[in-house]
Structure formats: structure tokens, C-alpha cells
Amino acid sequence: MVQNKLIEKFFEKYYKNHADDIVSPIRIEKREFGFMFFSKHIMHRHISFKNSLELRDYVRRTIPAHAYYSSAYYVNPSAPTMDEKGWEGADLVFDIDVDHIETPCKEDHDLWKCLECGASGKGMSPSKCPKCGSEKIERDTWICELCIEAAKEEALKVCDVLLDELGFSSKDLYLVFSGHRGFHIHVEEEDVIGIDQDARREIVDYLLGIGLDLTTLGYFKRKIVLDIDLREEGWRGRVARGLYDILLNCDEKLLRKLGLRSRDIKYILSNRERIISEIERVPSNWLSLSSISAKSLERLVNHAVKLAACKVDERVTIDVKRLIRLPGTLHGKTGFKVLKLSYNELESFSINDAFVFDMNVNVVVQSQRFPKRVANYGFSKRKGIVEVPLPIGIYLIGNSKEVKILKIV
Amino acid sequence: MRRADGSGSRPITFYDLVKYPFIKEALDYFRSKNLTLDDLESDVGRKILNRSYERIHEAISQRKVTTDLSEDPEIEVLSFPISLLLLSILENRSLIYRYAVAESKRVGELLKNEDLDKLIWIAKNTFKWRVNLVEEELGDERRPLVIIHFIDYISHIPQSSKEWKLINKRLVKGYVFIGKGELARMLEEAVKKYIIRKCSERVMISDLPNIIVAFIERISREWSQYVREIESLRIIPKDVIGDIYPPCIKKLLEDLKSGKNLPHAARFALATFLLNIGMSVEEVIELFKATPDFNERIARYQVEHLAGLRGSRIKYSPYKCSNMRSLGLCVDLNGKLCKGIHHPLQYYFRIIGGKRSGAKQAH
């Protein structure tokens, strides 16, 4: 609680001078807002504001730990039930979260522990305990610059599909750094606002690669191995390029992991040059892959599909009544700023763009365990007492109960 | 690619208004007549009302609407919006759905035989779709192709099946490539949605002419009698479904009951599931009576086949979850409700098992 009070103090100071940074969503009077506070663990929902002045004043007065607004537009956004609210439409939102992306840096900063049998490990947490199968897993997870880079890559991939394949223009969409583990992509184009959940599911399935029928790739149809050109647009082209990348860069270890037959692995590795040059032809020729078994080819294609898929959280896109982070506010677990970015700004984004507290102020923190690296900061010691810059200190105490700030230097 | 869009000369004749009384031109015609409610009590008005009633009556009793060309074509055109008026006064959701399916089926059958130009004209002018005819050059040959904006496409997918999934379509810069048959089928879906939307609009009429009241009472009586008959056949109590069936099967049952037309794979999944949890062939057939194109002879043959009573004598199992997923039939893709479930039957037996052991503990 004391540590919470400390964060609240910093937030208060910040909002006093920077509440005007809060981005007022378009048609603010039709949006529902929700807030969580440092003192209580419940969400205050069904709040609405007439204009941005009211919203900023509210934040300045109440110092929320977390601030959200609805991607939906309502007739009566502050009504307590959905029926009374009167849904009119919703922005199209995609959520990219490092939780869903495998990154090697997780080994450096993440731990998991099974609360049933006590098994534990480093790195990406399993969804259930590999030892006893329990789903009660305690996780100690952090983000570092590498995580943010991975999430950025994924966000750019989603943007490319939205622009090149779905035909949106870059001015119809913007991105938001969520203040913690990823990015949101918002599309506010007039045409998408009214579409229903089924249509949104169709879009998200398109991104995730769900329901892809291999025969549309010309997969083993009429004695042709595959009927796709490397330069083709859309999903087919992405799968072709994924397959090309696999064949170009694979080693025995990867092919074994994918479950290819030994004979096929040997064939691919010893004929790689020829296979690659044939695929590079215009149009691509996949004929030399006809020597490998159907099963092996299918496994290769499936892996290419996995590479071509965008790892978005489908629930966020399909749920048209969800609350989402409000740009310009602070994230209560990290102290980072929820930052609105244009498509062109994403490329150059780095985590310190979201720091709002003074880098030149240091704090002394104590913990039984420090990760190797969090945000852009590497720890020299793995436990005990260290001095860190203020933004890192706030992140440490916000994200872990184990860490205490002892004093501000 | 060369664009040859449907903005050329108007391919719509008066005969088209009779066949497609929902199109913009037909509604303009209806409006130009300036009909008032009192006009419906005149001789012509009675004829219109009577034909409006027939449309709904046929949808209730036969699950279809027939285009009537024997009568005055003008009455045929004007009776459609009046049917919608009657239904919106009645405010019965399932009747509206029943009528929308029947009327749109009629339209779908006719649209199949139309020229592409006419389909594109209707899509553009009535439904405001961004759709165009393009020609793709394949060597010396020119092939006509339809492109439609993906938002219009995903908002009018008629059924969840692999073939219709956006991901299996050629999609370039926001436009989906489709064939003529698909465009016709999507227009059918759009007509269904249009009817449902129109009939769900509240109408405020303070003083209904007696003749309208009489027709409304007649329709209402027919529908409630039909509902009573169906309900006596209903086997599964509504409150039980929510508990024991996996979400995919629940969705299919709901779709079935609301009169939606399920694609083949969906019917297979549902029928095999129900047979495998011990429902009889008769009971399954009864449920399928709700489908718009129900044919008892064919249905019986198919269900008996699935139950292993015919042909190979193999009792079929429902698809496992991964197949349901690829077929677009899974509704819990993130595994929120179906944690650790690999097969729809597993879900059912787990819940049933859990209930049984729970009951034991209670005693």
C-alpha cells in the first residue's frame, strides 16, 4: 500500500501539469469510460464526458491508476446496462501483446511457477504446468527493449496487411503503445464502425490464418506441387514467401522440429540451391518439391502459414463492447505513458519515448530478485539493493510486490 | 485490368420490379403512388392487402413465397412493402425471420438466372455496395470478374463454410474477387437482412383501419397455431441447452431454430453430435424441420445414413475441434469456454460426468 501511495503521488504530480496530453477520442460524448484507482481493485465504469475538458479535469482530480474508454459509440454511454446504452457502432481494434509472441529475451526476465506442484522455469510461461498439468501458474513477467521490438514487428505486419490487402489508408489508422506489453491498432474509418461481430471475426480470422484452405494455394492440385508465385499479393503470396524463407534459412534442426521425414530433410538440404533458384523464377516453380512426401510438404506449408499469420488477440477485435486504454494517460503497473503513434511513428518508437518521470532522478530499490533486464535497463546485481533511474524504479514497484523503493536520491 | 462497371444504361424493366420488389426502383414506384392507409380499404387496396397476406401465409405454411404473375403486376409490386408493414406491426421476431428467409429464397432462385449487369446494378443502386465488373486479360482472352469491397463482402457472407471465408478469397487493396453465383447468393442474403431490418423498425400508427387489423389477426392466429405444433415436437428444454452443449453445437442449434440455412458441414456436425449423445433418428429429423429447405425424405435418408442404419453401416462421429475450426464452425477459437477440449463430444461428456459426480457428492 505504501508503495502504491508513492506511485499515486508521482501520478498526481504528472497529471497536474500534463492532463492536457490526454487524447480525447473522436465523438467523446458517445463513449463510455472506465477507471481503476490505486485504493480499490474494482473498475468504475459507465462514466461519460461531454468534452475533453471534462475528461481531463476528471483525471486531474481523481488520479486513476488505469484509464480506459469504449471503442464503441453509444446513445447513452453512462447507462448501466447494454440495452439502455444503445450500441451504435465501434472502431475496429487490434491488440498485439508480447504474451503471445515467443521472444528469446523472456529467458532473461520472466519466471513461472506452478502453484500446485512447485515446478518452475525461466522464459515463456506454459499455459499449464508441464509436470502436473495444473493451470494455476504464478508468473513474474517483464518487458525489455527486445520484447517491444518483437511487438513492433508484429504491429507493422498487421499494418501492412491492413494497408496492402484490406486497402485501408494510413490516415485511417493509428497505433497506441499500451503502456506495458504491446500495441493497439485502431481503425476509425466510417465504413467499419457499423460492422457486426461476425464480420469482425472474419477479419481477425484473416489475420490469424484461421480456416485457410490449402487447396486455395493450389496445394498438390492436378500434379502441381503448389500454384503460387513468390510475388503474388495477399495470403497466397505471404505463404509462398514464408516457404521460401524457410527453405532458404532452414537447418536440419528446424526441419526435424517441424517433423519432416529424414529422407526429405536430406533431399532439401542437399538440393537447396536448385530448389531456391526454381522458386525464384517467374512464375515460381515448385516442382523439385514433388520429390518429398505429402506429409512433409504439408508440415512445411503449415509452418509457412504460421510465419505469415499475424499474432493478434482475437477477443479484443471481436468484442465490440470492450474498454481500451486511453492514450495520454499513465499505466498504473509501469508508470509508462500510453502513447498514440501514427503509422509512420511506429518504426522509430522506443520504450524510453513512453517514460514520463525524470531519468536524472535516481531511487534506491530493494528486492529478492531483479530480472537481468527490464525496459532499457540492465541490472548489475540480481538481488539486494540497487540504485536505478526513477522511471525504472516506478516500473519495478508497479509490476512486482517484491520490490520496495527505499529512498529517492 | 479494365473496368466495365454497372453504371451504364439501366437494365431494369417493370417486370424486374415484380420479381424484385425490394429494389430501389420498386420502392420509388411504391412511393410515387402515395398510398395512404385509408386507400387500403378501396378495391385495389384490398387486392394489395390480400396479396400481402398471401406472401406471409405461404411463408408460414410452405416456407416459401411464389412470384405470382397471373395477377396484376402492379399489385404484386405494391404488396411487398405492405407485407413488411404488416410484419412490423406484428413485431414477432421469429415470424419476421421466417418470412425473410422465404422471400429471399424466392429472390435468390430468380437472381441466379440474371445477367451480371443486372446483379451489379442492383448491388450498387439498391444496397450501395462497392462492386465492379473488371476484365482480366489472360493472354488473348478476356475474362469478366466481379470485385467487391471486403466490408460489403464480410457483411453478407451467407454461411460459415471454408469456401466463403475471406482468407480463402483473392483480396487485393480491399477488394475481393468473386463469381457471379456468389454475387447472386450475397444479394439473397442482403434481401434477407433488409427485410429483417425493415420489419424490426417500430411503426407508430394510432388508428389502424379495420381491414388491416383483420389481416393482422389472421396472420397472428396462423403463426401461433404453427408455433404450438412445433413446440409440441420440441424435445430439448431451452434451459438445458445452455448448460451441457459445447458452444459450437449450441450456436448451430440456435441457428437451426431461428430458421437459418445451415451448410452441409454444419448439418453433418450437428446431426452426428445429437445422434452420438443418444438422440433418436426421429428426434433429429424433427429438429431439422426448422431448416428453410427441409425435405423429409432426403433428411431421413441422410440422418439414417449418419446413424449407421444405411449404406456402410458405420455410425458417424462429429468432427473434432481442429476440423470444426477449419470449417469455420468453431465459435470459441481462443478456447475460453472449451479449455482442454479436443472434441465436441468430450465437452458434453465432461459436463454430464461432472454433473453426475456433483450429484453424488450432494447425497
Side-chain angles (χ1 to χ4, degrees), chain A residues 104-123:
Chain A
C105 60
K106 286 194 170 77
E107 298 276 331
D108 290 346
H109 46 68
D110 290 358
L111 295 176
W112 60 269
K113 187 180 166 192
C114 173
L115 294 175
E116 291 282 334
C117 73
S120 66
K122 278 201 278 189

Side-chain angles (χ1 to χ4, degrees), chain A residues 167-185:
Chain A
F168 290 112
S169 113
S170 59
K171 57 179 196 304
D172 294 331
L173 56 91
Y174 64 88
L175 294 105
V176 172
F177 169 60
S178 73
H180 196 196
R181 308 184 61 77
F183 296 91
H184 304 145
I185 301 172

Side-chain angles (χ1 to χ4, degrees), chain B residues 167-187:
Chain B
I167 192 168
N168 294 319
K169 293 287 169 196
R170 190 168 153 207
L171 172 61
V172 182
K173 286 273 173 211
Y175 281 84
V176 184
F177 288 71
I178 56 171
K180 189 189 143 192
E182 287 168 310
L183 181 58
R185 186 70 185 78
M186 285 174 62
L187 285 169

Side-chain angles (χ1 to χ4, degrees), chain A residues 165 191 201-202 205 213, chain B residues 130 165-166 168 174 333-334:
Chain A
E165 295 175 34
D191 290 327
R201 175 179 291 283
E202 210 50 46
D205 280 0
D213 180 8
Chain B
R130 283 155 291 178
K165 277 201 89 57
L166 183 64
N168 294 319
L333 293 166
N334 48 324

Side-chain angles (χ1 to χ4, degrees), chain A residues 95-194:
Chain A
D95 176 36
I96 294 128
D97 192 315
V98 279
D99 288 353
H100 299 124
I101 306 169
E102 266 179 68
T103 58
C105 60
K106 286 194 170 77
E107 298 276 331
D108 290 346
H109 46 68
D110 290 358
L111 295 176
W112 60 269
K113 187 180 166 192
C114 173
L115 294 175
E116 291 282 334
C117 73
S120 66
K122 278 201 278 189
M124 190 143 171
S125 144
S127 58
K128 55 185 178 188
C129 176
K131 232 178 170 176
C132 73
S134 164
E135 285 172 9
K136 283 187 194 141
I137 289 178
E138 186 181 66
R139 298 176 174 89
D140 184 20
T141 59
W142 299 84
I143 55 125
C144 70
E145 287 167 304
L146 298 174
C147 303
I148 296 299
E149 281 310 309
K152 244 168 78 175
E153 277 302 309
E154 210 56 38
L156 283 169
K157 201 157 105 188
V158 176
C159 287
D160 285 345
V161 174
L162 294 179
L163 298 172
D164 298 339
E165 295 175 34
L166 297 183
F168 290 112
S169 113
S170 59
K171 57 179 196 304
D172 294 331
L173 56 91
Y174 64 88
L175 294 105
V176 172
F177 169 60
S178 73
H180 196 196
R181 308 184 61 77
F183 296 91
H184 304 145
I185 301 172
H186 294 242
V187 182
E188 289 180 344
E189 208 225 354
E190 204 55 45
D191 290 327
V192 302
I193 287 173

Side-chain angles (χ1 to χ4, degrees), chain A residues 78-357:
Chain A
S78 56
T81 67
M82 279 302 157
D83 271 354
E84 293 166 86
K85 273 189 179 12
W87 189 85
E88 288 187 319
D91 302 332
L92 182 63
V93 183
F94 302 97
D95 176 36
I96 294 128
D97 192 315
V98 279
D99 288 353
H100 299 124
I101 306 169
E102 266 179 68
T103 58
C105 60
K106 286 194 170 77
E107 298 276 331
D108 290 346
H109 46 68
D110 290 358
L111 295 176
W112 60 269
K113 187 180 166 192
C114 173
L115 294 175
E116 291 282 334
C117 73
S120 66
K122 278 201 278 189
M124 190 143 171
S125 144
S127 58
K128 55 185 178 188
C129 176
K131 232 178 170 176
C132 73
S134 164
E135 285 172 9
K136 283 187 194 141
I137 289 178
E138 186 181 66
R139 298 176 174 89
D140 184 20
T141 59
W142 299 84
I143 55 125
C144 70
E145 287 167 304
L146 298 174
C147 303
I148 296 299
E149 281 310 309
K152 244 168 78 175
E153 277 302 309
E154 210 56 38
L156 283 169
K157 201 157 105 188
V158 176
C159 287
D160 285 345
V161 174
L162 294 179
L163 298 172
D164 298 339
E165 295 175 34
L166 297 183
F168 290 112
S169 113
S170 59
K171 57 179 196 304
D172 294 331
L173 56 91
Y174 64 88
L175 294 105
V176 172
F177 169 60
S178 73
H180 196 196
R181 308 184 61 77
F183 296 91
H184 304 145
I185 301 172
H186 294 242
V187 182
E188 289 180 344
E189 208 225 354
E190 204 55 45
D191 290 327
V192 302
I193 287 173
I195 64 174
D196 64 12
Q197 298 203 344
D198 286 344
R200 284 168 206 254
R201 175 179 291 283
E202 210 50 46
I203 296 177
V204 88
D205 280 0
Y206 184 86
L207 291 171
L208 288 166
I210 287 174
L212 181 72
D213 180 8
L214 292 186
T215 57
T216 61
L217 306 174
Y219 175 77
F220 270 144
K221 208 164 64 182
R222 278 178 270 115
K223 301 215 167 146
I224 299 169
V225 183
L226 288 165
D227 180 23
I228 341 171
D229 188 72
L230 212 50
R231 290 141 291 257
E232 213 170 293
E233 65 266 292
W235 251 103
R236 287 165 45 89
R238 273 190 278 142
V239 173
R241 290 186 288 278
L243 205 48
Y244 174 82
D245 284 343
I246 297 169
L247 293 167
L248 191 66
N249 301 314
C250 65
D251 52 17
E252 197 181 329
K253 199 177 141 208
L254 175 75
L255 296 179
R256 282 215 181 282
K257 203 177 128 202
L258 296 181
L260 268 66
R261 284 199 200 161
S262 305
R263 198 171 55 89
D264 295 333
I265 295 176
K266 224 171 127 191
Y267 172 81
I268 290 173
L269 294 176
S270 52
N271 293 287
R272 193 195 317 244
E273 289 280 311
R274 184 165 56 87
I275 299 171
I276 290 294
S277 71
E278 283 182 9
I279 297 174
E280 284 170 351
R281 278 192 213 161
V282 186
S284 299
N285 180 343
W286 304 88
L287 211 60
S288 38
L289 286 182
S290 61
S291 312
I292 71 170
S293 70
K295 197 91 216 147
S296 290
L297 179 63
E298 195 181 319
R299 289 186 170 153
L300 279 174
V301 173
N302 282 334
H303 189 60
V305 170
K306 214 173 127 191
L307 294 179
C310 302
K311 292 159 198 73
V312 294
D313 182 343
E314 63 205 8
R315 286 167 300 180
V316 176
T317 306
I318 293 166
D319 186 352
V320 292
K321 290 158 187 170
R322 212 180 174 86
L323 295 177
I324 193 149
R325 291 237 170 228
L326 178 61
T329 59
L330 302 181
H331 190 301
K333 282 184 91 175
T334 61
F336 301 153
K337 187 173 178 178
V338 180
L339 210 59
K340 182 171 172 174
L341 304 161
S342 71
Y343 171 65
N344 292 323
E345 286 166 334
L346 176 65
E347 187 83 59
S348 62
F349 171 82
S350 77
I351 186 69
N352 39 329
D353 296 344
F355 292 173
V356 297
F357 300 115

